[in-house]
Amino acid sequence: MLLLGKHYTAGQGGDAVIGIESAGNLPAGWDNTISRYRVDGDETWEFYDNKDYAGEPLLVAAGPLGWTRVPSSINDKVTSVKRAGPILRLYRHYDQDENHVDVQGDIRNMPAGWTTPCPGPRPSREPGTSSSSRTS
């Protein structure tokens, strides 16, 4: 797990920490605000300044690693994070809309909300074909 922290004065809401278990864009209120991180376990995390891990990582951190300050050159610039390695992006619809989930490593169960059939129309089949028709 990756823990992210931001330092604020009491007037700004005080100190805050969030746990990150999977790849993603940082949630509202965390985008471009982190000032420290901690890596629990034997994981390697990559930090990006663009959404969806675009471009080269700003920072790569290998764990286990205790609380560490973000280098001043990238302080308050991190927008997305992911474990090092490839990502499989799954879309809910065939037209690759914005409704997607990124998975990494071994996954035994799909994330909540991704195990039911997709709503809406399905792509049409070519004329004259059918999944139920058989030829003799």
Side-chain angles (χ1 to χ4, degrees):
M1 175 183 280
L2 173 67
L3 295 173
L4 302 176
K6 51 186 175 179
H7 297 291
Y8 284 125
T9 64
Q12 294 172 308
D15 193 55
V17 174
I18 187 173
I20 306 290
E21 294 186 28
S22 61
N25 296 321
L26 297 183
W30 287 88
D31 181 23
N32 296 322
T33 64
I34 71 163
S35 56
R36 61 193 158 104
Y37 61 92
R38 183 176 94 192
V39 180
D40 292 340
D42 240 2
E43 300 173 340
T44 299
W45 286 85
E46 297 174 344
F47 299 70
Y48 293 83
D49 64 346
N50 296 302
K51 290 185 177 188
D52 297 326
Y53 341 105
E56 294 296 316
L58 293 170
L59 172 73
V60 177
L65 185 64
W67 283 111
T68 305
R69 286 185 179 189
V70 172
S72 60
S73 61
I74 67 165
N75 189 35
D76 296 338
K77 291 184 179 180
V78 176
T79 298
S80 61
V81 295
K82 74 175 188 75
R83 281 189 211 101
I87 287 184
L88 172 64
R89 175 163 286 174
L90 302 174
Y91 291 90
R92 186 169 295 277
H93 295 285
Y94 62 90
D95 61 357
Q96 297 184 359
D97 62 5
E98 299 245 347
N99 194 357
H100 65 269
V101 63
D102 292 338
V103 293
Q104 242 182 330
D106 295 334
I107 182 167
R108 293 177 187 252
N109 298 305
M110 289 297 292
W114 284 81
T115 58
T116 58
C118 297
R122 295 178 183 243
S124 60
R125 297 182 183 269
E126 291 294 318
T129 64
S130 170
S131 60
S132 61
S133 64
R134 295 184 180 194
T135 57
S136 308

